[in-house]
Amino acid sequence: MDTGKRDARRRKYLSLGAGELVAAAVFAAAALFFVTPRLPQVQDRAALWSALVPLLVVLMAAGLYWLLARTWVERVAMPRGVAITYSVLRIAFPVLLTVGLVGVVTWWPNNVGVGVLFTAVWVFGAVEYANYFVVRLAYPVSQWFTAVGERRTPRLVTDMRSSRHS
């Protein structure tokens, strides 16, 4: 085992995990302290949280994945229990996203711009789900168009598959 390579991956995973968790915290805090107080209608608040909750849950699960992956990276396969948990989440998240979208549509804000903003938040959650469970979408800007076209398997899915074979 190359300790230097493992240490570098562990640092990268720490950064990715902390970044996803901080992003979730920032979105939640912004919604709680800045956006929700400015929404006059209860239906507007319901639409906001319908869009935001799926995003927050996906970000938290992603952040936890990266932090957990630090324990097995370059050593062993993903532990079976973790793989089963993420396999269940892979099925549960589309349901959560669907419920969130139904909430956004049901409680569509009176202000169209606010509705579009909430829809964009929901889309961001769907894109995050796809990035972790369907096809890798996160690349440096300079490589994005080329790399996305390669349709690479997300690291989480690769780890889940390696767990089955160990």
Side-chain angles (χ1 to χ4, degrees):
M1 167 179 35
D2 181 354
T3 320
K5 184 178 177 184
R6 181 171 194 271
D7 289 344
R9 297 267 307 265
R10 290 186 80 237
R11 282 190 301 276
K12 180 179 179 181
Y13 287 9
L14 176 61
S15 175
L16 290 168
E20 296 290 33
L21 294 175
V22 167
V26 168
F27 282 122
L32 277 171
F33 300 115
F34 299 108
V35 179
T36 301
R38 289 174 172 76
L39 296 173
Q41 305 284 331
V42 172
Q43 77 180 40
D44 293 353
R45 293 184 202 125
L48 166 66
W49 289 100
S50 294
L52 190 58
V53 166
L55 171 62
L56 295 177
V57 174
V58 170
L59 288 173
M60 288 186 297
L64 290 174
Y65 159 71
W66 290 118
L67 296 179
L68 289 169
R70 297 179 75 241
T71 64
W72 68 74
V73 66
E74 300 292 333
R75 281 192 11 209
V76 296
M78 175 189 264
R80 186 87 177 115
V82 176
I84 290 169
T85 300
Y86 278 92
S87 293
V88 170
L89 291 175
R90 187 179 196 180
I91 295 165
F93 284 155
V95 173
L96 179 62
L97 284 160
T98 300
V99 169
L101 183 58
V102 167
V104 171
V105 171
T106 301
W107 294 301
W108 186 260
N110 291 329
N111 182 313
V112 175
V114 172
V116 169
L117 177 65
F118 293 172
T119 302
V121 169
W122 181 88
V123 167
F124 185 39
V127 168
E128 282 291 308
Y129 167 79
N131 182 54
Y132 281 99
F133 291 99
V134 180
V135 63
R136 183 175 168 195
L137 299 172
Y139 296 98
V141 175
S142 63
Q143 302 169 5
W144 196 82
F145 285 103
T146 305
V148 165
E150 294 174 8
R151 299 196 46 84
R152 294 183 192 159
T153 302
R155 178 84 245 168
L156 172 56
V157 173
T158 303
D159 280 353
M160 289 165 47
R161 288 177 183 158
S162 71
S163 177
R164 283 188 229 144
H165 303 296
S166 62

